[in-house]
């Protein structure tokens, strides 16, 4: 998907309201998935299709036994494309999964030693819902309430959470592993913020990519990635895996800006794929403070420190 087209899709909320994904579309999607699973000889699985996942119950070339295979992101990708492309998108998805398994066999031996394994470490952001699922067995950064940073192994075709068994294997701390993963990721994230005009009265700066799944991790180095912060700081959001939204605070247009920003962030979060959080933060150049908002109640509460700064 071209970057320009991606931007059009994400910002079409300016012209159109959000349409609910239909049950009919999901049924069509599921039928194609089931057909593909049959073709690749995955037949023994436990269905949880209403919750958009299934559980593998038999060894195969694609997944380990008891793996929960999520379908939400794949479905979101499909609905953003013409139905005529769904079959090839789903086929390519499972093909990449298989390629990833082959790459694991080649790369995993290198992870036996930190000296040869550290180059494959990255940190990726996930929704806070992942915390229960992986925090006990993985190495994570849980410093924020709305998303979680997970240390992953960066295979050419896929990523996989790094097991915390490597803490003992490598004889280094989780903190050191997190540091290596962050440094590797930030070094490779070369994308820059660009300004996008959303409407006649509203524009935002966005660091955007539809290929780099680690781009949102640049939030860890925002003071270096964005050097034009206003005297009042900026509102920041990471609604999905495509990028980081930043809106410099202008005292004169603040009310209009925050309302439009909430709409944009909510749209991008709902659309996905790879939704992370609909939270909005105030960044003062050093720290992040959450902006409390409830659209249905028309309530917005700015951080106390920002309120004092604006007086």
């Amino acid at each position: 998907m071209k970057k320009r087209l991606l931007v059009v899709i994400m910002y079409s909320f300016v012209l159109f309201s959000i349409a609910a994904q239909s049950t009919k579309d999901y049924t069509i999607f599921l039928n194609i998935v089931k057909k593909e699973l049959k073709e690749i000889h995955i037949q023994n699985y436990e269905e949880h299709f209403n919750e958009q996942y299934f559980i593998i119950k038999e060894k195969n070339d694609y997944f380990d036994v008891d793996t929960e295979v999520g379908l939400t992101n794949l479905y979101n990708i499909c609905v953003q494309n013409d139905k005529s492309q769904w079959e090839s998108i789903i086929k390519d998805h499972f093909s990449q999964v298989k390629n990833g398994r082959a790459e694991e066999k080649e790369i995993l031996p290198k992870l036996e030693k930190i000296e040869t394994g550290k180059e494959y470490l990255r940190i990726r952001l996930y929704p806070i819902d992942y915390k229960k699922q992986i925090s006990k067995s993985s190495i994570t950064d849980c410093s924020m309430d709305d998303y979680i940073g997970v240390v992953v192994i960066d295979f050419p075709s896929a990523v996989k959470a790094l097991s915390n068994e490597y803490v003992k294997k490598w004889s280094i701390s989780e903190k050191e592993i997190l540091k290596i993963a962050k440094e590797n990721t930030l070094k490779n994230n070369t994308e820059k913020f660009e300004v996008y005009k959303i409407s006649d009265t509203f524009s935002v700066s966005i660091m955007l990519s539809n290929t780099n799944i680690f781009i949102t991790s640049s939030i860890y180095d925002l003071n270096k990635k964005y050097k034009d912060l206003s005297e009042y700081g900026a509102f920041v959001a990471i609604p999905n895996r495509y990028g980081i939204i930043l809106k410099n605070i202008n005292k004169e247009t603040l009310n209009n800006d925050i309302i439009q920003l909430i709409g944009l962030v909510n749209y991008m979060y709902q659309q996905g794929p790879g939704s992370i959080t609909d939270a909005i933060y105030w960044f003062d150049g050093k720290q992040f403070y959450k902006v409390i908002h409830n659209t249905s109640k028309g309530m917005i509460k700015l951080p106390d420190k920002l309120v004092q700064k604006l007086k």
Side-chain angles (χ1 to χ4, degrees), residues 104-165:
E104 279 188 40
K105 290 180 181 178
E106 180 183 341
I107 292 173
L108 283 177
K110 297 179 182 180
L111 294 174
E112 290 301 308
K113 295 182 180 180
I114 182 63
E115 292 79 11
T116 52
K118 64 182 181 180
E119 69 176 280
Y120 296 100
L121 302 184
R122 302 287 187 272
I123 189 162
R124 184 180 180 185
L125 302 192
Y126 290 91
I128 196 64
D129 293 350
Y130 276 57
K131 186 175 180 179
K132 276 187 179 180
Q133 182 181 338
I134 61 175
S135 60
K136 290 182 180 178
S137 60
S138 304
I139 298 169
T140 59
D141 175 5
C142 301
S143 58
M144 301 299 285
D145 294 333
D146 304 290
Y147 60 86
I148 181 173
V150 181
V151 176
V152 298
I153 308 164
D154 184 21
F155 299 107
S157 299
V159 297
K160 183 177 182 179
L162 181 76
S163 169
N164 54 16
E165 68 183 36

Side-chain angles (χ1 to χ4, degrees), residues 7 23 25 67 76 78 82 86 89 105 130 132-133 138 156 159-160 167 180 200 206 232 237-238 241 248 269 311:
V7 173
T23 303
D25 281 351
T67 298
N76 286 339
C78 284
D82 189 85
W86 287 17
I89 290 171
K105 290 180 181 178
Y130 276 57
K132 276 187 179 180
Q133 182 181 338
S138 304
V159 297
K160 183 177 182 179
V167 174
I180 292 169
D200 289 339
I206 302 179
Y232 301 110
I238 41 173
R241 70 185 182 202
N248 253 337
Y269 174 72
K311 286 183 177 178

Side-chain angles (χ1 to χ4, degrees), residues 89-292:
I89 290 171
I90 291 168
K91 192 174 288 292
D92 287 348
H93 170 78
F94 285 105
S95 177
Q96 286 183 13
V97 170
K98 187 175 183 180
N99 290 341
R101 296 280 284 185
E103 291 160 3
E104 279 188 40
K105 290 180 181 178
E106 180 183 341
I107 292 173
L108 283 177
K110 297 179 182 180
L111 294 174
E112 290 301 308
K113 295 182 180 180
I114 182 63
E115 292 79 11
T116 52
K118 64 182 181 180
E119 69 176 280
Y120 296 100
L121 302 184
R122 302 287 187 272
I123 189 162
R124 184 180 180 185
L125 302 192
Y126 290 91
I128 196 64
D129 293 350
Y130 276 57
K131 186 175 180 179
K132 276 187 179 180
Q133 182 181 338
I134 61 175
S135 60
K136 290 182 180 178
S137 60
S138 304
I139 298 169
T140 59
D141 175 5
C142 301
S143 58
M144 301 299 285
D145 294 333
D146 304 290
Y147 60 86
I148 181 173
V150 181
V151 176
V152 298
I153 308 164
D154 184 21
F155 299 107
S157 299
V159 297
K160 183 177 182 179
L162 181 76
S163 169
N164 54 16
E165 68 183 36
Y166 285 94
V167 174
K168 287 184 179 179
K169 186 173 287 190
W170 292 341
S171 297
I172 63 175
S173 68
E174 288 195 10
K175 187 176 180 180
E176 290 174 290
I177 293 173
L178 272 166
K179 184 173 183 289
I180 292 169
K182 286 181 180 179
E183 287 176 350
N184 286 350
T185 307
L186 295 171
K187 177 178 64 179
N188 290 316
N189 282 6
T190 58
E191 295 86 357
K192 297 180 180 180
F193 280 96
E194 296 180 31
V195 177
Y196 294 93
K197 184 178 180 181
I198 309 305
S199 69
D200 289 339
T201 60
F202 182 63
S203 61
V204 289
S205 297
I206 302 179
M207 181 185 287
L208 184 69
S209 175
N210 62 318
T211 56
N212 179 9
I213 61 173
F214 304 110
I215 188 170
T216 52
S217 298
S218 289
I219 200 82
Y220 288 116
D221 208 19
L222 193 59
N223 58 336
K224 293 181 181 177
K225 298 288 185 182
Y226 189 83
K227 298 182 181 296
D228 297 318
L229 210 62
S230 83
E231 62 176 307
Y232 301 110
F235 293 123
V236 180
I238 41 173
N240 60 42
R241 70 185 182 202
Y242 283 129
I244 303 172
I245 305 174
L246 184 147
K247 178 61 183 176
N248 253 337
I249 295 175
N250 181 328
K251 191 174 179 179
E252 304 303 318
T253 61
L254 187 148
N255 288 341
N256 173 71
D257 291 344
I258 189 64
I259 290 170
Q260 294 213 50
L261 182 63
I262 289 171
L264 172 61
V265 170
N266 182 63
Y267 179 82
M268 290 176 63
Y269 174 72
Q270 294 293 335
Q271 287 292 97
S275 298
I276 297 177
T277 177
D278 61 356
I280 294 173
Y281 299 93
W282 169 52
F283 181 60
D284 68 354
K286 295 180 180 178
Q287 288 183 274
F288 292 91
Y289 302 84
K290 191 171 181 178
V291 176
I292 307 299

